[in-house]
Amino acid sequence: MQHQPPSFTHSSFAGRIGIARVDITPPAGIYFRNWGAAKHDVADSIHRPLSLSVLTLSPRDGKRTLVLVDADLGWWRPLDLFHTFQARVLECLSLKSTDFIFALTHTHAAPPLMEAEASLPGSQLLNSWFADIYQASIDAIHDSRANQFDGLLEWHVGCCQLATVRDLPDPRSPADRFVCGYNPLEIADDTLLVGRVSDTGGKLRAKVVNYACHPTTLAWENTAISPDYIGAMRETIETATGGVALFMQGASGELSPRHQYVGNPAIADQHGRQLGFSALATLQDMLPPATELSYERTVESGAPLAVWRHRNRTVSPMLQSQQSTVNLPLKAWPTAAELGQQRRSCTDRALQERLRRKQDIRRTLGDGNTFALPIWVWRIGDAVLAGSCCEAYSALQRELRQKFPNNTILCINLANGSLGYLPSADKYDTDVYQVWQTPFARGSLEILIDKMSQVIGPLLASENS
């Protein structure tokens, strides 16, 4: 019986590609309080600069452009602030909302994206910094579009041991309480996806790293502005290969480094080098551009030897984008006004910070029983990128990859805003931070997975660009 000769290749896209990067580092002295346990309110130094990188993708006819922004930022307070920012960017650059993703790396060592409040030290610098981010975004997107080249974006799967599960049963509590830190008894999703951008001459022009791990190395003792581990990751890759390295934060709701919550930036750099070297190893394992590895013949020797050879292949020019919504059930939270009153009467700094975040989320959601969560799904050649503004557990990326095993599935948290966690349904039976922080009720993550699957399926079945 004859079998179809097997082959191996990478999910790939061929078209016009642009890359740009700008500096968005704020000044020392800016409001910087991201941790309830912090005793400081402002940043006093810069560990590494914050950057904003842009990847633009277009078909060779140039009729449309997808814009992906990778920014060393933490979260938006509230989501409406992003909506205003997004509307200005789209209008200025004549972009469609379906074709624009502004993704945060989620560093916890950058100032929060919020409007200035006179009562907060260093807050007076926030508005001017926010204006700088807007202009930097416009400039970088413009430069990326203006300097596009004919190229390939090809993906390969690797692994990295940086991420660990951070839902730990409290070792010192008799109750069923969970604390947010390394759990040595659970195995984390270690999947690392690396994108290689090369031009038609085979020159390596950029790398894209999609990995799920909270940048929470630096915590309440840290007073320096930093991209956390992402900065050293980029430096490690760029020093070895040249060009620009971009980062896409994966579905990391329950994932973080084993050693975290420190004030020492050297630990963040160590983590970044670990991820960077893993990405470099994955790059070294890739086929030459625009090729596949195909079974050629069997050579009879001491054993029958299967001979595989590289062959040229046609790379997909498919480029599609779709924006949709999914209705997620909400918990019965107090109103925003009630949360504001609780915050004003609270004297505990850590609890005040929790109430501030909860109030911002409630303002965004409104007082209904469900929320129409926007999602973005892009088809990029043979690969699919799917994202939302929530912090989904890694089950999102694991299950989507199981459903679509023949394609590279890239998942992004904190895409086009930031809102709440999406834990797995079984976690709602535990006293874990991500469950009591999120406004979304049990089953919301599973609803999102189903909806993304419903969108991805027809996109992969489509033959029209």
Side-chain angles (χ1 to χ4, degrees):
M1 179 179 178
Q2 293 288 327
H3 297 280
Q4 181 70 26
S7 65
F8 171 80
T9 190
H10 304 302
S11 290
S12 308
F13 163 75
R16 301 281 294 169
I17 302 174
I19 306 145
R21 173 177 290 165
V22 291
D23 191 301
I24 56 169
T25 309
I30 196 169
Y31 180 72
F32 185 65
R33 190 159 183 268
N34 294 321
W35 297 86
K39 299 190 184 322
H40 62 275
D41 289 300
V42 300
D44 62 14
S45 59
I46 311 293
H47 164 226
R48 287 180 179 270
L50 306 184
S51 68
L52 183 149
S53 306
V54 175
L55 177 71
T56 56
L57 304 167
S58 303
R60 291 215 162 96
D61 61 17
K63 289 184 178 179
R64 68 182 310 181
T65 300
L66 304 188
V67 176
L68 174 67
V69 178
D70 147 36
D72 286 329
L73 301 168
W75 48 83
W76 300 85
R77 297 182 182 173
L79 183 59
D80 288 345
L81 185 64
F82 171 75
H83 291 156
T84 302
F85 172 86
Q86 178 191 42
R88 292 180 64 201
V89 171
L90 297 180
E91 181 179 9
C92 180
L93 297 173
S94 299
L95 288 170
K96 297 178 181 179
S97 62
T98 54
D99 298 347
F100 177 69
I101 291 179
F102 192 99
L104 309 183
T105 64
H106 201 32
T107 174
H108 286 49
L113 294 163
M114 59 181 286
E115 295 178 342
E117 291 186 23
S119 63
L120 303 177
S123 177
Q124 72 278 5
L125 298 174
L126 287 173
N127 287 345
S128 60
W129 176 58
F130 190 58
D132 291 342
I133 293 172
Y134 167 77
Q135 191 57 53
S137 301
I138 297 298
D139 293 344
I141 295 169
H142 179 270
D143 289 348
S144 180
R145 292 167 74 178
N147 295 292
Q148 285 188 325
F149 55 89
D150 285 340
L152 301 172
L153 171 56
E154 301 171 289
W155 296 96
H156 193 35
V157 182
C159 63
C160 179
Q161 298 298 312
L162 176 61
T164 64
V165 174
R166 64 174 190 165
D167 292 346
L168 174 67
D170 191 340
R172 298 183 176 176
S173 173
D176 295 330
R177 184 190 189 211
F178 276 65
V179 290
C180 195
Y182 170 49
N183 184 346
L185 300 181
E186 291 200 35
I187 299 175
D189 183 355
D190 64 358
T191 305
L192 167 65
L193 296 175
V194 177
R196 180 183 64 191
V197 178
S198 55
D199 59 29
T200 52
K203 180 181 178 181
L204 183 61
R205 302 287 292 270
K207 290 73 51 183
V208 187
V209 174
N210 179 212
Y211 186 68
C213 182
H214 258 76
T216 47
T217 312
L218 300 173
W220 58 89
E221 294 179 347
N222 171 59
T223 58
I225 291 166
S226 174
D228 204 281
Y229 68 78
I230 293 103
M233 179 216 73
R234 291 197 190 100
E235 180 182 73
T236 300
I237 297 172
E238 291 169 2
T239 298
T241 64
V244 172
L246 296 92
F247 180 73
M248 299 189 304
Q249 182 61 251
S252 57
E254 85 285 23
L255 304 179
S256 65
R258 181 180 300 107
H259 186 198
Q260 59 179 336
Y261 308 146
V262 301
N264 183 1
I267 305 302
D269 288 346
Q270 177 184 343
H271 291 163
R273 288 190 294 271
Q274 179 182 355
L275 179 56
F277 286 131
S278 294
L280 289 172
T282 305
L283 278 171
Q284 289 298 312
D285 190 45
M286 293 186 73
L287 304 175
T291 65
E292 64 181 9
L293 189 63
S294 298
Y295 170 81
E296 183 181 70
R297 68 187 190 280
T298 298
V299 172
E300 299 297 338
S301 183
L305 306 177
V307 179
W308 292 63
R309 293 287 184 262
H310 291 128
R311 299 181 187 275
N312 293 332
R313 68 179 291 249
T314 300
V315 179
S316 171
M318 186 77 72
L319 200 63
Q320 296 176 299
S321 61
Q322 187 165 334
Q323 181 180 347
S324 187
T325 59
V326 55
N327 287 321
L328 299 183
L330 298 177
K331 295 176 181 175
W333 272 13
T335 65
E338 290 168 341
L339 290 167
Q341 180 59 42
Q342 291 177 25
R343 176 188 157 203
R344 286 188 293 273
S345 61
C346 179
T347 58
D348 181 276
R349 280 171 62 88
L351 184 54
Q352 278 182 342
E353 185 63 26
R354 292 180 188 176
L355 289 170
R356 177 196 298 279
R357 297 181 188 184
K358 195 169 185 177
Q359 182 184 19
D360 287 342
I361 292 172
R362 190 53 158 161
R363 284 199 194 105
T364 297
L365 298 173
D367 294 328
N369 298 320
T370 62
F371 178 72
L373 178 74
I375 62 172
W376 283 261
V377 178
W378 290 357
R379 178 172 176 182
I380 306 170
D382 307 313
V384 171
L385 182 153
S388 80
C389 65
C390 292
E391 294 187 60
Y393 267 42
S394 61
L396 173 72
Q397 59 195 29
R398 291 197 309 269
E399 294 196 23
L400 289 179
R401 288 164 186 162
Q402 289 173 0
K403 289 174 183 288
F404 304 100
N406 297 323
N407 299 84
T408 296
I409 305 296
L410 309 146
C411 292
I412 307 182
N413 277 356
L414 301 152
N416 288 340
S418 54
L419 198 47
Y421 284 95
L422 288 175
S424 304
D426 62 296
K427 292 296 180 180
Y428 283 75
D429 295 321
T430 65
D431 180 20
V432 63
Y433 163 71
Q434 292 92 328
V435 169
W436 55 257
Q437 182 274 352
T438 184
F440 299 109
R442 184 196 299 264
S444 292
L445 175 62
E446 291 72 21
I447 293 171
L448 176 63
I449 292 170
D450 287 344
K451 178 63 176 183
M452 284 186 168
S453 300
Q454 293 168 17
V455 177
I456 291 171
L459 277 183
L460 289 176
S462 173
E463 296 300 327
N464 298 316
S465 60

